[in-house]
Amino acid sequence: MSAPPPVSPSEDDDAGMRKGLPNYGDAAFSLFLRKAFIKGAGYTDAALDRPVIGIAATGSDYNPCHGNAPQLIEAVKRGVMLAGGLPMAFPTISVHESFAAPTSMYLRNLMSMDTEEMVRGQPMDAVVLIGGCDKTVPAQLMGAASAGLPAIVLVTGAMLTGSHRGERVGACTDCRRYWARFRAGEIDAEEASDVNDQLVASVGTCSVMGTASTMACIAEALGMTMPGGASPPAVTADRIRIAEQTGAQAVQMAKDRLTIDKVLTPAAFENAMRVLLAIGGSTNGIVHLTAIAGRMGLEIDLDALDRMGRETPVLLDLKPSGQHYMEDFHHAGGMATLLRELKPLLRLDALTVTGRTLGEELERAGPGFAQDVVRPFADPIYPQGGIAVLRGNLAPGGAIIKQSAANAALMEHEGRAVVFESLEDLATRIDSDDLDVTADDVLVLKNIGPKGAPGMPEAGYIPIPRKLARAGVKDIVRISDGRMSGTAFGTIVLHVTPESAIGGPLAHVRNGDRIRLSIGAREIALLVSDDELARRAKEAPVVEPVAERGYRKLFLQTVTQADQGVDFDFLRAAKMVGKVPRS
Ligand code: FES
């Protein structure tokens, strides 16, 4: 038998269909077998001789945020073939916020492992990552960062807005607002049902600056999407065109060997941090960015993020910090409009997936035009960055607050702790008329951190106790070791580290303790002496949660805290090589 014909354009043993052959002890036979099987699907040698572009396909009936995935895959394939490549779509786990229990975050690292191993384990010269719903883009970036191939992100894009009785609505800031009105008795069940039909007007990701939109903007700021790739809505021609361009660019990246480490540099992460602050982005963004950076051996410096926040105003006027929706941002020019305003603060030398720098791409984007969604730097919607980092004896490892979505009257506040020990405790008592609570109190929720719930669910947006909601209370200081949806709003302290489930100080807060929040001083303080806290820890020692088997066991044994991105410890880079931003 003669040797099979070469199938790689470079004749390179580590490219195209020759890549990553299964071990049968005879590489030529392995390739012969691989070609025999793929020819069963009708491929020719000419097709198999091209650079192979993998397409991580995350369409799923359980994921309406990715409901346009079939059209996107078709357009990516067209782009790949126009550029001379061979597209190969493959499935990975898909995770939707409303369909993943106990929380999508619990499955993010599993999706990242799936992505990493499928990218590494199958023959491809570059990969297109089609993601969108909150955890999918970070999971794919984490996995691709570890796999190390050329990679390019294609987000599914935001949904359209709907209309309810003449009012424009969109998921999911308006979901929360209407639900709060229903709980307060301001609307009846019939209207709640009516608005439920209108909140999600099409497939695509949430239409406000929630985590999906935040991660789309961060992906573009990192240089990981085509220019303008963050903002086109899911069901538009612009989104399809970006998909075609993404496929074509993936082929070029494969030819140029533009590997992901050349794009995900400290400069790129610094730009992403700036953008996170300037868009009033989801607090989840910092956890995900920390996890992605950790895969590259980089640590996000939270204190530096806070310093950056003091000189980076919120410019993007989108809900929940502002008033517009993602489709308005797209009509206003998308990320180019924002980046133009931020230009003096950006690292313009950062390389992008196009092979050009961010600065060069901004030049190519041309001049801006009149619009009212991205504010001028001199006239921001909030004078500082959206996220502030808090420290204090309640959070020695840090905590964060989305100050741009907080209530100005509660930013400097001292109050009495009203403590809930767990989600179950919260569910049992929050709506009780007997709950001893006033609007001046501080609600504390324990055991919703990375190990606590587990998976650090987005339960930090503790509902206003029903009796206060009925009395017209719209906000109250809330503290937890959990996360909050980027679509939520309020004076809400999140990511308290270390978490209560591993014995952090939060575990020892009791009803009636005094807690002081000072966003000005970046402080979250439990006004209880160290001696008393040590006494309580001895009196009621914390027993860390464990599991007997399976993914849950892996999760509980290896998940890190929020300041390390809630990644698994063994998935982070073997060696940390520096901090971002570089001082
Ligand atoms: Fe998927 Fe909001 S639920 S982006």
Side-chain angles (χ1 to χ4, degrees), residues 65 96-97 133-134 205-206 212:
C65 296
H96 184 278
E97 287 305 293
C133 195
D134 293 16
T205 52
C206 286

Side-chain angles (χ1 to χ4, degrees), residues 63 65 95-98 132-134 159 171-172 204-206 211-213 487:
N63 194 343
C65 296
V95 182
H96 184 278
E97 287 305 293
S98 296
C133 195
D134 293 16
M159 62 183 69
C172 237
T205 52
C206 286
T211 304
S213 302
T487 63

